[in-house]
Structure formats: structure tokens, C-alpha cells
Amino acid sequence: MFQPSVYKKRRDLLRSMMNGGIVLLPGNTEAAMNYADNTYHFRQDSTFLYFFGINQPDLAGVIDLDNGQDYLFGNDVDLDDIIWMGPQPSLKDRAERVGVTITRPFNQLQKLMDEAIALSRHIHFLLPYRGKTTLLISKLLGIKAGHLSTYKSEELIRAVVALREIKDSGEITDIESMIDVAYDMHTTAMRMAKHGVVEREISGMIEGIALQKANGVSFPVILSINGQTLHNHFHGNTLKEGRMMVCDSGAESVMNYCSDITRTVPVGGRFSQRQRDIYEIVLAANVKAIEAIKPGILYKDIHLLSARIIAQGMKDLGLMKGDVDNAVAAGAHALFFPHGLGHMMGLDVHDMENLGENYVGYDNEISRSDQFGLAFLRLGKRLREGFVLTVEPGVYFIPALIDQWNEKKMHKEFINYDNLEAWKDFGGIRIEDDILVTSNACRVLGKAIPKTVAEVEATMSV
Ligand code: GLY
Ligand code: MN
Ligand code: MN
């Protein structure tokens, strides 16, 4: 955890950014897997963590915007709990570690809300993404669960995004330590990527590294020789020479900061000519995007830059044709690159996605495109110093998409469908790094994970 003053300062900043009322921030509860006592790995709510820092279930924080007071609601353990869980710090002690002095039993939260409602005070809350939190807020505020969305606080969402999107040095250090864990995960995966190995032998090994060295993975491991499926969580294939293995994985710290890295390697450790051809295109899109990132630039423009590099590369291979700028403007490259270049990262791997992607990645200046491909760009707005984001271009040969576009003669002036037939068994390649926007450019965070063809082949040969 950070020093108590860090959490207090964050709450005071929030107060200075909002017009008044009361902020209700419930933490998460345990979630039952198949019966109440057999729970999923506990994951605290990230906004609760940001302002109240405590990585334990059954808590709620309240920030009074008018009288300067912060409250922590929760229960102390009783003897029955101590028998099963061992001694636990008191609620008061836990609150002190995040600079909160007012603590109350959880069941008094209703009373505080009732008082605020009686005085017609504005109670700001974020739209919950879990059933139990939905029921809690619904009961506390007397709003039907299905209507919470209407009453969520846009003022609070915007203030939380404005605070959380700028990472301070403590947060960056924690994120970088998770990229160093990802280094171990990815170099281990590279060395294990041999003909005959089953994917889950590798995915299990690297998840183990995340558990040994951190608080586990930051999202379910994506590891597959079918990289053309963008988020492939099936780990039952046997690796074969001739296939590329996509590994998209990262770790989460005990404070819940994340890493999110993708590397794609040839099974067996040597790139064939055709694998190298596609790899170098994706690598150039990754490297040139990183070179162009600086404060003040629209991330949408960085996305389009990488799209043009991909379209040019595909044209050079005879898979696209025509004017590259026109092809990208029309969205033809999205046959091969059907997702966005990246997203914010922090306490969530897709940072703050639960607050609404358009509040995080777009603003009054720029709104989301509805063009296939570009529409999936999670972050389009102008970059600012202190943003942490991913740069993750990819090229994929998705047989069902190729067939559908071919049938509909989509963008036929830009795509060489005849030449594409021979590539439908290729799979996909993605290369993803986590970067920090600095005062005049950007910095790739963490230990450099093998990325060039030579670095990947050298790593896989030992
Ligand atoms: N790990 C999922 C993503 O890269 O967005
Ligand atoms: Mn990823
Ligand atoms: Mn990502």
C-alpha cells in the first residue's frame, strides 16, 4: 500500500473537482464459485482501491464533498471469524492505513444515506458491474436496480477518470515491477514453445510465475497457436512447427496494478520467411507507433499510423493494392487488423473500462468512429504526460472474415482476395508493449522483453 497521505490527497483532489454532495464507493464482496464458502480469487474494485486502498471484501467508502469527511464502513471480525481466518486488524487500524479516521459498522451505511436523502443531497455513485453491488446501491438509495444507469453520476465518472488516468511515480514503479514479472512469463513461454507441447503446459507455467512473483495474472492468459482468434482462452492445442504462438498475458501486483504484454513466436524457435514477413510488418507498426507517441497527439492518429504501416506491408506482399491512405480511410486494412491499437492501463488492465469506455478513451473533442475496426479503438483522445497505455498492433488471417468480405466483395479495390487464399492457415501475430507518456515523448516500461526476430530467436535457442 502507499502511504496514508496518498489516499487522503486523492480524496481531497476529488473533492476539489466536484460541486458537492456525497460520494458512495462500495468495495467488492467475495463472489461464490459453486457454493458460498468456495469463492473466486478476490478482486477489489479498482476505484475503491484508488481512494481507499484496502484490498479486502465487505467495505464501503464515503467521501463527503461538503464537510471534508471520509468514512469507512465495515465490520470487525468476531471470535467465529478468528477461528477460521486467524486474528485480523480492526476496521479502525485498517482505516488509519489509508488516512481515514471515521469508521462505522457496515449496517450504519443505510442511516448515513437516509440522512443524505432526507436533506436532498446529491449522492454520487458509479454504475456497478456486479450483482451484489447493484443490489446494495439499489437498496441504499431506493432506486430500482434496472434504473441505476439513469442515476449514475457523470460528474463523478469524469472526475475519477481525470484523476486515475494520470499515473504518479509510485504507480509507475508498481506497474513496471509487473512488466518485469511479465518478462519472466514471456521468456519462459518462448523457451517452452516447442513442437509437441500442449498449450496448457505453457499457460499453466506462466500463470504459476504470476502467482509466485505477484498477485496472479492481470487477466486470463491468452495463449494459442490460433492467434487469429483475438482473445483465445482455449489452451488444449498441441504446438506444431509451422504455427506461430501468440501469448498475451500479464501480472497484477498486490496493490492490483497490471501489466499487459503480447509476444508472438514461431513454434520451434525459427521464423519461416512468410512468418518473418508478417512479423516485421507488425513489429514496424509497434515500433513506429511508439516512436510517434508524445503528449498532445491524438491516439486515434497513432492508431491510423500503425494501420497505414500494416496496409503498406500487406500491399508489398501482394495482399492489398491501391492507394494505402485511401485504403485505411475506407477501413480496408481492418480485414487484417480488426481491433484498436491500445487502451489505458493501471489498476485495471483495460483501465476504468467499467466506468464506460467512451468516458475514458474519448472526450468532447473526439468521439468513437462507427467504422469496422476503428470502432473497436478503446482510446482515441489526445495523450497527456502520465498516461500509461498499451501499443498492440496485430495482423490476423481470420478465415471466416476473409470469406465473408470476399463474398460481399468488400473493399475489392484494396484487397487481393485471390492471393489471400494461400494465407488462410497462417494464424495471427500481435506485439504489445506498455508505455508511459512522458513530458515530450514516451518510454516503454519495464525490462525489455525480446521483440525483434533476432532477439526472439536468440531467446528461444537457449
Ligand atoms: N489483454 C487484452 C488486451 O490486450 O487488450
Ligand atoms: Mn494484451
Ligand atoms: Mn492490451
Side-chain angles (χ1 to χ4, degrees):
M1 273 162 83
F2 296 119
Q3 291 298 313
S5 58
V6 169
Y7 300 102
K8 177 152 180 13
K9 186 169 156 216
R10 290 173 178 177
R11 296 190 297 266
D12 286 343
L13 274 172
L14 183 73
R15 247 187 286 276
S16 74
M17 295 163 78
M18 294 184 63
N19 284 319
I22 189 164
V23 172
L24 169 65
L25 290 175
N28 279 337
T29 56
E30 295 279 13
M33 204 155 49
N34 49 342
Y35 52 91
D37 281 347
N38 204 25
T39 55
Y40 290 104
H41 165 79
F42 174 70
R43 179 53 156 89
Q44 183 58 287
D45 175 74
S46 295
T47 303
F48 179 88
L49 276 173
Y50 186 79
F51 291 106
F52 288 93
I54 307 172
N55 198 357
Q56 288 169 342
D58 303 322
L59 299 168
V62 171
I63 300 171
D64 192 314
L65 299 171
D66 301 317
N67 70 7
Q69 291 189 324
D70 301 321
Y71 305 76
L72 188 69
F73 288 82
N75 295 328
D76 281 322
V77 293
D78 59 20
L79 189 60
D80 279 355
D81 296 321
I82 291 172
I83 291 168
W84 293 95
M85 303 159 62
Q88 302 292 320
S90 68
L91 181 65
K92 198 142 203 60
D93 289 345
R94 290 186 279 163
E96 260 171 31
R97 296 189 60 187
V98 293
V100 174
T101 51
I102 308 173
T103 57
R104 298 203 177 148
F106 200 90
N107 63 12
Q108 288 193 24
L109 181 56
Q110 183 73 63
K111 185 164 165 278
L112 191 76
M113 293 299 115
D114 288 346
E115 286 166 6
I117 292 165
L119 294 170
S120 301
R121 299 186 69 196
H122 189 157
I123 303 177
H124 299 270
F125 65 89
L126 303 169
L127 190 63
Y129 51 89
R130 286 195 182 188
K132 272 197 192 171
T133 318
T134 302
L135 292 176
L136 174 71
I137 298 178
S138 167
K139 178 171 171 296
L140 286 172
L141 305 187
I143 302 171
K144 281 188 184 158
H147 294 176
L148 286 182
S149 156
T150 314
Y151 294 96
K152 70 176 186 286
S153 169
E154 291 208 10
E155 187 188 2
L156 177 60
I157 293 170
R158 289 183 204 285
V160 170
V161 170
L163 287 170
R164 283 183 55 188
E165 70 184 2
I166 307 290
K167 272 65 181 184
D168 68 20
S169 59
E171 294 177 289
I172 291 160
T173 302
D174 209 51
I175 290 170
E176 287 207 273
S177 72
M178 289 303 101
I179 296 164
D180 292 349
V181 175
Y183 175 97
D184 291 347
M185 294 163 72
H186 282 274
T187 51
T188 298
M190 287 178 191
R191 295 195 175 103
M192 289 181 74
K194 297 193 187 324
H195 183 87
V197 174
V198 179
E199 291 163 346
R200 66 168 53 87
E201 296 177 54
I202 308 176
S203 62
M205 181 65 80
I206 67 173
E207 182 152 356
I209 293 172
L211 285 163
Q212 283 168 12
K213 303 198 170 185
N215 192 35
V217 291
S218 48
F219 58 94
V221 170
I222 297 163
L223 186 138
S224 181
I225 53 170
N226 287 323
Q228 73 281 6
T229 303
L230 302 185
H231 282 180
N232 200 334
H233 297 299
F234 176 72
H235 297 147
N237 297 304
T238 302
L239 272 57
K240 290 182 191 61
E241 294 268 3
R243 296 294 297 178
M244 300 289 295
M245 182 186 82
V246 170
C247 176
D248 182 350
S249 62
E252 184 172 83
S253 74
V254 290
M255 285 200 293
N256 293 100
Y257 286 92
C258 301
S259 58
D260 180 12
I261 301 287
T262 307
R263 290 293 183 265
T264 308
V265 301
V267 174
R270 289 266 151 217
F271 286 82
S272 68
Q273 188 56 48
R274 132 177 149 141
Q275 288 172 335
R276 182 187 289 249
D277 286 343
I278 302 296
Y279 193 88
E280 293 288 5
I281 295 168
V282 181
L283 183 64
N286 168 287
V287 169
K288 287 192 174 11
I290 291 171
E291 280 170 11
I293 289 174
K294 58 182 179 186
I297 200 159
L298 289 173
Y299 201 56
K300 180 182 175 187
D301 286 343
I302 305 288
H303 170 92
L304 292 172
L305 169 75
S306 66
R308 283 194 295 276
I309 292 164
I310 287 170
Q312 181 66 54
M314 302 312 272
K315 183 177 168 181
D316 295 344
L317 288 177
L319 300 175
M320 289 185 74
K321 58 189 174 181
D323 181 80
V324 164
D325 290 350
N326 290 345
V328 169
H333 65 284
L335 179 60
F336 306 106
F337 177 32
H339 61 76
L341 185 63
H343 50 85
M344 297 268 202
M345 197 189 72
L347 281 165
D348 307 298
V349 74
H350 291 174
D351 211 20
M352 301 176 273
E353 195 166 289
N354 64 303
L355 305 188
E357 232 174 51
N358 288 345
Y359 292 107
V360 181
Y362 295 88
D363 55 19
N364 294 338
E365 180 190 3
I366 175 155
S367 50
R368 187 185 287 266
S369 161
D370 56 10
Q371 183 187 74
F372 177 80
L374 193 51
F376 307 132
L377 179 62
R378 301 180 197 278
L379 171 64
K381 71 186 182 186
R382 246 173 242 291
L383 302 181
R384 293 178 55 205
E385 182 179 356
F387 281 14
V388 170
L389 46 104
T390 67
V391 179
E392 47 180 308
V395 166
Y396 313 88
F397 295 87
I398 305 169
L401 188 63
I402 294 170
D403 289 346
Q404 191 213 52
W405 278 35
N406 192 4
E407 229 164 77
K408 293 185 174 170
K409 306 272 176 279
M410 292 267 288
H411 300 300
K412 63 180 187 330
E413 64 278 35
F414 298 119
I415 313 268
N416 275 325
Y417 286 105
D418 291 346
N419 294 352
L420 256 181
E421 282 304 308
W423 290 80
K424 277 161 76 177
D425 64 348
F426 182 91
I429 291 178
R430 178 164 65 253
I431 304 174
E432 176 174 26
D433 289 309
D434 303 333
I435 65 115
L436 167 70
V437 181
T438 59
S439 62
N440 60 351
C442 77
R443 178 165 77 79
V444 179
L445 291 172
K447 204 153 128 184
I449 301 173
K451 189 160 80 164
T452 64
V453 166
E455 286 165 356
V456 168
E457 288 190 343
T459 306
M460 296 180 80
S461 70
V462 290

